[in-house]
Structures are given as C-alpha cells and as structure tokens.
C-alpha cells in the first residue's frame, strides 16, 4: 500500500502501519531481537552512521577500533569522528583477508567506545570472526557494531546468535525495496 504508516485516521494508513510493523517483526525474528530494537533507516550507510555516531555523540570515551577493509560508510564515519577529536585504530587484515579477533583485543583500551568490524567484506567476500570478537568484547564497556549488509538473510544462524550491540543491514541485498535499511 502507498500510504503513510503514521497516518492513523484512515484505512490506508492502518494497512501501511501493519505492513511496517510486520516487517519489523520479521527483521527482529531473523536477528533474535526485540522488534522495539529495530530502527528503520534509508539503508546500511545510514545504519552504519547511526550505530557509530550515535554512541559517540555524548561519549567521554574517545577511541574507536575498526578495520582498514570496512565499507566506505564506516571508514568515512570514523574519519568524521577523527575530525571531532576521536582516535581511530584501523586494523589491517592478515594474508587471508581476515581481521583476527586477537588483533581487535590487542587494540582495545580503557577509552575504547566502539569496535566496528564488518561481517563479510563487500569486495572479497571474506567472513570476519564476529563470534570470537563478540566473545572478547563480552564483559567490557565497548560497544560492538557490525555491518552485515552483505550477509543478512544468508548467514542467518551466526547473526541470530551474535551478541552484538548494533547490526547494520540493507533491504535491497535480500530483494527488498531500495532505500530501506535497519
């Protein structure tokens, strides 16, 4: 339906709201999340920005860990925050294209706010060891973000069971509408 889901005074608005909430439940179920945790965006780029800039807005911790092979959306966001006084550690992948969990662990500091490592590289397809990284971050104050635009709907079980604070996804990667992410 082509109606505004926030228009609650007519049938078309009600139907549109029902469709949006049904999609929210489907995404939440795929990620083993609460539907209230799903935030719609215009795509994975906006999701990456929100996940990284959001915690940084009022943070006293000023260090970010990421990898040098992240999508431009993450790298540009980290560069923006560097300009705002954050220090960014960009980890290089090993010979297999993997960012080892131990490298993330070694880069952590008491002032690390967020670690952002993509699930699968958008150019090479190499899967990063997210479960191991999440285990290393468990019990710390560091937020964990992953750009899972390439793997959402494909690596279902790993993402469903991943203890992660922020996951960025894009609808068009799973044959959904253009211009929608979460």
């Amino acid at each position: 339906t082509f109606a505004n889901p926030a228009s609650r005074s007519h049938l078309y608005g009600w139907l549109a709201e029902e469709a949006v909430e049904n999609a929210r439940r489907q995404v939440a179920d795929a990620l083993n999340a609460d539907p209230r945790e799903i935030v719609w965006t215009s795509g994975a780029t906006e999701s990456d920005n929100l996940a990284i800039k959001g915690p940084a807005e009022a943070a006293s911790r000023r260090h970010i860990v990421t990898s040098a092979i992240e999508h431009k959306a993450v790298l540009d966001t980290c560069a923006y925050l560097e300009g705002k006084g954050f220090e960014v550690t960009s980890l290089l992948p090993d010979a297999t294209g993997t960012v080892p969990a131990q490298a993330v662990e070694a880069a952590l500091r008491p002032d690390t706010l967020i670690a952002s490592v993509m699930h699968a590289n958008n150019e090479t397809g190499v899967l990063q060891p997210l479960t191991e990284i999440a285990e290393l971050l468990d019990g710390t104050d560091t937020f964990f973000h992953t750009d899972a635009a390439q793997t959402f709907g494909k690596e279902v079980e790993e993402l469903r069971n991943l203890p992660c604070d922020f996951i960025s996804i894009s609808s068009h990667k799973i044959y959904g509408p253009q211009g929608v992410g979460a």
Side-chain angles (χ1 to χ4, degrees):
T1 181
F2 294 98
N4 182 345
S7 295
R8 295 187 171 93
S9 60
H10 52 77
L11 176 63
Y12 298 112
W14 299 333
L15 293 173
E17 180 183 29
E18 184 179 321
V20 168
E21 293 310 313
N22 183 49
R24 188 182 315 277
R25 281 189 301 278
Q26 289 174 331
V27 170
D29 288 348
L31 295 172
N32 195 27
D34 186 303
R36 294 171 294 187
E37 296 176 303
I38 305 304
V39 177
W40 298 122
T41 64
S42 64
T45 295
E46 185 180 3
S47 296
D48 289 336
N49 274 265
L50 182 61
I52 298 168
K53 287 181 183 175
E57 186 65 30
S60 59
R61 292 179 286 144
R62 311 290 285 178
H63 180 239
I64 298 168
V65 175
T66 192
S67 79
I69 58 170
E70 294 299 305
H71 188 278
K72 189 175 182 330
V74 170
L75 296 175
D76 285 352
T77 301
C78 289
Y80 168 82
L81 289 172
E82 275 185 309
K84 297 290 185 185
F86 282 78
E87 187 177 344
V88 177
T89 300
S90 291
L91 303 171
L92 295 174
D94 63 17
T96 68
T98 302
V99 177
Q102 296 75 17
V104 174
E105 183 179 36
L108 294 177
R109 306 183 329 205
D111 66 332
T112 303
L113 175 66
I114 190 165
S116 181
V117 178
M118 66 179 12
H119 193 193
N121 184 275
N122 54 299
E123 294 176 356
T124 66
V126 173
L127 291 172
Q128 301 303 322
L130 295 188
T131 301
E132 292 93 25
I133 294 169
E135 288 170 0
L136 292 172
L137 294 173
D138 188 38
T140 72
D141 291 330
T142 301
F143 292 112
F144 183 30
H145 166 253
T146 188
D147 180 331
Q150 302 299 325
T151 56
F152 179 71
K154 300 166 188 82
E155 295 290 327
V156 175
E157 287 309 308
E158 183 170 10
L159 290 175
R160 179 175 285 142
N161 296 310
L162 183 67
C164 189
D165 297 293
F166 305 103
I167 297 176
S168 297
I169 61 172
S170 183
S171 173
H172 76 275
K173 298 288 186 174
I174 56 168
Y175 304 103
Q178 292 279 339
V180 178

